[in-house]
Amino acid sequence: MPENTNKPGSDGSHRTDRGTVLDRIPMPPMSGEEALRRFDEQRSSDQEYGTRVTPQSELSQLHPVMRLLALIGTLGLIVGVLIGVLYLIGR
């Protein structure tokens, strides 16, 4: 009886879909230094032409009072959860 060589674990398997999607994307070879150089060039050209760099988070766009309220709410939630856990442990 002939052996089935189409099994994924067999040595005769020639699957073309090995690896991740990123492995199949053709990309030019680039060192880390080259990538940093290109990033710096792009950043300096953006500043040169006056394009606005977007802020890193939505929180930085809020009014300072709203930021303070968000901080107080977050800390209140953390303290509430900790008190709840301590209450359940102490029962």
Side-chain angles (χ1 to χ4, degrees):
M1 227 164 142
E3 291 183 22
N4 187 359
T5 59
N6 292 331
K7 292 180 183 175
S10 67
D11 292 334
S13 175
H14 296 291
R15 293 175 58 192
T16 59
D17 60 344
R18 290 186 181 178
T20 64
V21 174
L22 293 177
D23 293 334
R24 293 190 295 263
I25 296 174
M27 296 182 70
M30 184 186 312
S31 68
E33 293 172 2
E34 175 71 14
L36 285 174
R37 185 186 64 76
R38 288 187 184 185
F39 177 75
D40 288 337
E41 284 178 358
Q42 178 68 31
R43 197 165 160 212
S44 65
S45 68
D46 286 348
Q47 290 174 353
E48 204 172 279
Y49 293 112
T51 57
R52 183 169 178 241
V53 177
T54 58
Q56 294 295 324
S57 67
E58 293 180 13
L59 186 63
S60 63
Q61 296 176 355
L62 291 177
H63 190 273
V65 173
M66 294 303 293
R67 278 192 252 168
L68 181 63
L69 288 175
L71 177 66
I72 291 171
T74 302
L75 292 176
L77 183 65
I78 292 171
V79 169
V81 168
L82 288 175
I83 289 174
V85 167
L86 290 174
Y87 173 75
L88 290 175
I89 289 175
R91 268 181 113 187

